[in-house]
Amino acid sequence: MTGGSLAEILSGAGAEATRTDLHAALDDLLDAADADGGRLDGPAFWGFVASLACGRGVSDDLAMSAAVLVAREGTIPDDPAELWQGWQWALLSALLARVTAFPGEIMPIEFSSAAFRALAINRQGGSNGGEHADLFGLGTQRGTDWEALARAARRLLVGAVCFRAAKDGMSRAKARALLLPDIPPETFRGWVKEVARAKRLPVDRVGDDARAAARGEMPAAPYDMDANAIADLLRTAWRPNG
């Protein structure tokens, strides 16, 4: 690629664009957007993104992330078809994690990356299904719909307790007593162990993501809950007499 125009990039001329090519193509893309009221041409944008990614490790990063998911969440199946399907779901999960990292900016805000990623994780669990709620009804979860939703609610509540403990500098036991006063300590400890099994983590690392959110290293939204949100989750998570 020598001219560096967006047209050359979209035509596939050359396997890997240089920095000069990319700068020129970006100018072409933005000039065209300015002429159209600021609206980027969709195919041209994705062509530019593909050219930027070509030969720069982006696909390797996705493959590595997918491999980590497979290794962490399940076992390697003997059936080649099952192995292929699991790998496709893992790759999709890795891609979705990246294109939805900034909600509403690439994917529409209504898109639920979490629902698709739950399927991808469940598929690594084999024929018995995974721990996450299957909102699509594709049979990838372990147990009934109610049981899967209850597990999901307990994971969120455990995260909320860990977040509050880290944010306010208190013990997890004190945060549990503050946020979930009706939950017996032994019941909550059981929830923590359940989450540890689902995440395939030691018990003491269950709250790592929530603690990172409390430090401002990731969004706090899944963990920073008000009393109403906690009460709603409790109705799903806990059956005192059952």
Side-chain angles (χ1 to χ4, degrees), residues 75-80 82-84:
T75 57
I76 304 300
D78 295 328
D79 182 359
E82 187 178 345
L83 175 62
W84 181 85

Side-chain angles (χ1 to χ4, degrees), residues 3 12 32 48 61 66 74 81 83 86 102 117 127 133-134 140 142 147 192 203 205 217 220 232:
F48 175 78
D61 170 67
L83 175 62
F102 306 95
R117 297 195 74 202
S127 58
D134 180 346
T140 69
R142 180 174 63 82
E147 289 168 332
V192 172
V203 168
R205 292 195 55 201
E217 297 170 5
D232 287 342

Side-chain angles (χ1 to χ4, degrees), residues 106-126:
I106 296 179
M107 293 296 290
I109 194 69
E110 299 85 2
F111 180 79
S112 176
S113 171
F116 281 93
R117 297 195 74 202
L119 289 180
I121 293 172
N122 284 351
R123 288 304 301 261
Q124 311 308 320

Side-chain angles (χ1 to χ4, degrees), residues 44-213:
F45 168 78
W46 289 111
F48 175 78
V49 170
S51 186
L52 174 63
C54 180
R56 292 178 171 86
V58 174
S59 62
D60 292 338
D61 170 67
L62 289 170
M64 179 61 70
S65 179
V68 169
L69 175 65
V70 171
R72 186 184 68 228
E73 299 293 342
T75 57
I76 304 300
D78 295 328
D79 182 359
E82 187 178 345
L83 175 62
W84 181 85
Q85 291 172 8
W87 180 240
Q88 301 308 304
W89 279 105
L91 287 169
L92 177 62
S93 176
L95 175 63
L96 290 178
R98 286 153 179 78
V99 299
T100 60
F102 306 95
E105 296 186 12
I106 296 179
M107 293 296 290
I109 194 69
E110 299 85 2
F111 180 79
S112 176
S113 171
F116 281 93
R117 297 195 74 202
L119 289 180
I121 293 172
N122 284 351
R123 288 304 301 261
Q124 311 308 320
S127 58
N128 291 328
E131 297 296 312
H132 296 271
D134 180 346
L135 300 182
F136 293 97
L138 299 179
T140 69
Q141 70 192 21
R142 180 174 63 82
T144 65
D145 290 348
W146 169 261
E147 289 168 332
L149 288 173
R151 289 195 299 270
R154 290 192 288 269
R155 281 195 296 274
L156 289 170
L157 290 170
V158 168
V161 169
C162 293
F163 176 85
R164 179 61 64 88
K167 184 177 180 182
D168 293 350
M170 62 179 68
S171 69
R172 192 171 68 188
K174 186 174 180 179
R176 191 274 314 158
L178 178 67
L179 297 182
L180 306 171
D182 295 328
I183 302 300
E186 61 272 16
T187 298
F188 186 76
R189 284 193 292 270
W191 292 5
V192 172
K193 291 178 182 178
E194 178 185 70
V195 175
R197 288 194 300 270
K199 290 186 173 184
R200 299 178 185 272
L201 289 172
V203 168
D204 60 356
R205 292 195 55 201
V206 161
D208 281 1
D209 48 0
R211 287 187 284 270

